[in-house]
Amino acid sequence: FYDSNDILNCKESRVSNISDTLTISENKLGLVNWGNIGSSFKWSRLWNESHYTNALISYSKYQSDYNESGTTTSSNIDGELIEGSLSFEQVNSIDDVTLKLDHEWFLSNDQLIRMGMQLSNLGTVYRSKTDDITFVEHIEQNKTITTLYGLGIFQPLNRLKLNLGLRGNHYSMTNKWYFEPRLSLAHQTTKNLNLKAAYGNYYQFVNQSNTKNALQGSRDFWLLADDITIPIQKARHITAGMEYRYEDY
């Protein structure tokens, strides 16, 4: 199995002239290189009709580099030439190495118990420089997320299906556990009509931000949350709906 590495190059050039007491000409060239690379190896085994195990190890890397340089030449009202240069560099990367072990126990055709564990080693780099002066440097390496989870799929009634799960994440940056309960119900009210509802808590430890630069535009970058300056994101999902199947489709 092979994955792909996609890189997008975007070149930008701009010439602007402003006439007032100063005459200014500006040439700017910006280059963005970004992409992803990933690979994984999976092992699985069906022990018997009731037990199935699989193990997965994966690696992924996201890289985004932005470089911009420019020169300016201006003249004042006396005709004197003034030359200047400006360079800007932004580097951002995420490394993720994950090991996952998962086991399923089939109680019947409609009921099973799934349990497992996952260990992720994460690292992020963010660096911002202007004219060889580093303004921001944020490097976090070898931070781990240890996850234990369990899920049960049951059918307590003839037309009712219940999914009940719990996921616990230990984040080494804060040395705390974050628990994510999950619950979903599906009821086959009639032959063609299903009613569904679900509830779940979710945490995200790698967060997206941007530079919010009014002159250069906003460029996204990713950082590991420390729950102090960069908060850990939390979401609570509550959904409900219905599904109707027509006989002719």
Side-chain angles (χ1 to χ4, degrees):
F1 146 79
Y2 296 90
D3 202 358
S4 63
N5 180 18
D6 299 322
I7 298 178
L8 173 65
N9 294 325
C10 176
K11 294 183 178 180
E12 174 189 347
S13 62
R14 184 183 68 190
V15 177
S16 60
N17 296 297
I18 302 176
S19 299
D20 196 354
T21 56
L22 296 177
T23 301
I24 300 175
S25 64
E26 180 184 52
N27 294 314
K28 184 176 70 173
L29 178 63
L31 179 64
V32 179
N33 292 317
W34 67 268
N36 299 275
I37 184 171
S39 61
S40 64
F41 174 80
K42 182 179 180 180
W43 172 87
S44 60
R45 181 179 177 87
L46 181 63
W47 303 96
N48 51 47
E49 294 181 354
S50 301
H51 294 276
Y52 171 75
T53 302
N54 68 82
L56 175 73
I57 183 170
S58 64
Y59 169 78
S60 65
K61 182 181 181 66
Y62 167 79
Q63 182 81 28
S64 176
D65 299 332
Y66 177 84
N67 292 279
E68 180 183 298
S69 61
T71 60
T72 60
T73 302
S74 61
S75 61
N76 57 22
I77 56 178
D78 297 326
E80 298 176 341
L81 295 178
I82 303 173
E83 295 184 354
S85 63
L86 179 67
S87 64
F88 176 79
E89 178 185 5
Q90 178 178 295
V91 176
N92 185 217
S93 66
I94 306 171
D95 288 277
D96 181 354
V97 179
T98 295
L99 175 64
K100 182 180 179 182
L101 180 65
D102 188 86
H103 183 78
E104 295 182 355
W105 178 17
F106 295 90
L107 304 176
S108 66
N109 292 334
D110 299 319
Q111 301 184 100
L112 70 86
I113 295 177
R114 178 183 299 156
M115 62 192 70
M117 63 174 295
Q118 178 176 310
L119 178 64
S120 297
N121 185 282
L122 302 172
T124 59
V125 173
Y126 175 72
R127 185 181 296 110
S128 178
K129 297 172 62 177
T130 300
D131 288 339
D132 296 327
I133 300 175
T134 301
F135 285 94
V136 179
E137 186 170 44
H138 190 281
I139 300 176
E140 296 289 354
Q141 298 292 342
N142 296 322
K143 305 304 179 184
T144 60
I145 302 175
T146 304
T147 302
L148 302 174
Y149 58 90
L151 170 69
I153 301 177
F154 308 102
Q155 192 167 358
L157 300 176
N158 186 31
R159 294 177 176 269
L160 179 64
K161 191 173 184 179
L162 169 66
N163 290 9
L164 183 63
L166 179 63
R167 183 183 182 97
N169 303 294
H170 181 268
Y171 186 39
S172 65
M173 181 89 78
T174 60
N175 196 26
K176 293 181 180 179
W177 281 93
Y178 301 85
F179 294 98
E180 302 173 336
R182 312 284 172 84
L183 172 67
S184 66
L185 298 170
H187 185 267
Q188 187 178 2
T189 307
T190 65
K191 180 181 178 181
N192 299 330
L193 178 64
N194 289 328
L195 301 180
K196 299 181 179 181
Y199 168 89
N201 286 347
Y202 301 85
Y203 289 92
Q204 181 170 307
F205 303 98
V206 183
N207 293 340
Q208 185 184 48
S209 186
N210 59 69
T211 56
K212 297 186 182 298
N213 192 314
L215 298 178
Q216 298 173 338
S218 297
R219 281 182 292 276
D220 296 333
F221 58 93
W222 296 84
L223 296 172
L224 282 172
D226 57 11
D227 216 22
I228 300 175
T229 58
I230 306 173
I232 294 174
Q233 300 296 318
K234 178 182 179 181
R236 177 174 297 161
H237 293 183
I238 302 175
T239 61
M242 59 180 291
E243 178 185 78
Y244 186 84
R245 298 182 180 180
Y246 290 93
E247 294 289 346
D248 298 332
Y249 293 92

